[in-house]
Amino acid sequence: MPVLTPVAPLAPVAPAAPLTARPADARQVTTIVTRDGKTVSTRVIRAKPGSTIVASRMVPEVTERTCVDGKDGPGKHYVIDRTEGGVRKMVICTNRIEQAAADAATAAINSREIEASAYASALASLKIARASIEKNADMTAAQRREALAGIDEGLAEVQADMAKRD
């Protein structure tokens, strides 16, 4: 039978270095974020601009600034995440976020104009259909009344929807 030589247990992994300096105006905030049913706890240090915080290597250096296309990656990225000299750095591109917000506001305005145009077109189409049915000699009076009642109901619905928008 072979002789088994005991093996020393593995050393525990050292915890991340704590914050070594923390300005008096900083405060620690713990947030809980739920994604796909999982709960994640995060430690965040918030300080006033200009304060210095020395943190462990596990914490990225986060800055915000106006980003330049080409130099700071493609214009579609709102956050640039990179490692320089072994230090993880994240840049929040404020100008790109502001532009996205402005684009969204413009799209919202345009959607109201498109909606108004669609309602106006529907209203005009129903009026044309109504006039056509009124002049249709191939229909009996009962058929005409039934068709006009359906068109009138559609007209009332469209007009009510248009009134709700205003």
Side-chain angles (χ1 to χ4, degrees):
M1 179 175 265
V3 177
L4 296 176
T5 307
V7 178
L10 294 174
V13 176
L19 294 175
T20 56
R22 189 166 142 186
D25 60 357
R27 62 187 176 99
Q28 182 171 326
V29 179
T30 301
T31 58
I32 297 180
V33 179
T34 304
R35 288 188 184 165
D36 302 329
K38 297 179 182 177
T39 302
V40 180
S41 296
T42 307
R43 191 170 86 173
V44 178
I45 302 296
R46 294 188 181 175
K48 291 182 181 173
S51 298
T52 302
I53 297 178
V54 180
S56 71
R57 283 185 272 163
M58 300 295 290
V59 178
E61 180 183 305
V62 180
T63 58
E64 62 179 27
R65 64 179 161 85
T66 300
C67 295
V68 179
D69 292 350
K71 178 184 175 203
D72 295 315
K76 63 183 178 180
H77 294 150
Y78 304 118
V79 178
I80 300 164
D81 190 358
R82 62 178 133 210
T83 303
E84 294 176 6
V87 177
R88 185 171 171 210
K89 297 184 177 189
M90 297 176 77
V91 177
I92 299 170
C93 300
T94 54
N95 59 318
R96 294 177 182 172
I97 294 169
E98 290 166 358
Q99 184 61 52
D103 291 347
T106 300
I109 291 169
N110 289 343
S111 70
R112 288 210 31 96
E113 291 173 0
I114 291 168
E115 183 183 34
S117 175
Y119 275 123
S121 177
L123 196 59
S125 295
L126 285 168
K127 288 178 180 179
I128 291 169
R130 189 175 202 300
S132 174
I133 295 294
E134 284 177 335
K135 295 176 186 175
N136 189 334
D138 296 332
M139 298 175 82
T140 65
Q143 291 172 327
R144 191 175 297 108
R145 272 193 308 275
E146 186 178 341
L148 290 173
I151 292 172
D152 289 342
E153 184 180 329
L155 281 167
E157 286 177 17
V158 171
Q159 289 169 338
D161 287 348
M162 290 175 75
K164 289 179 193 174
R165 288 184 67 250
D166 299 334

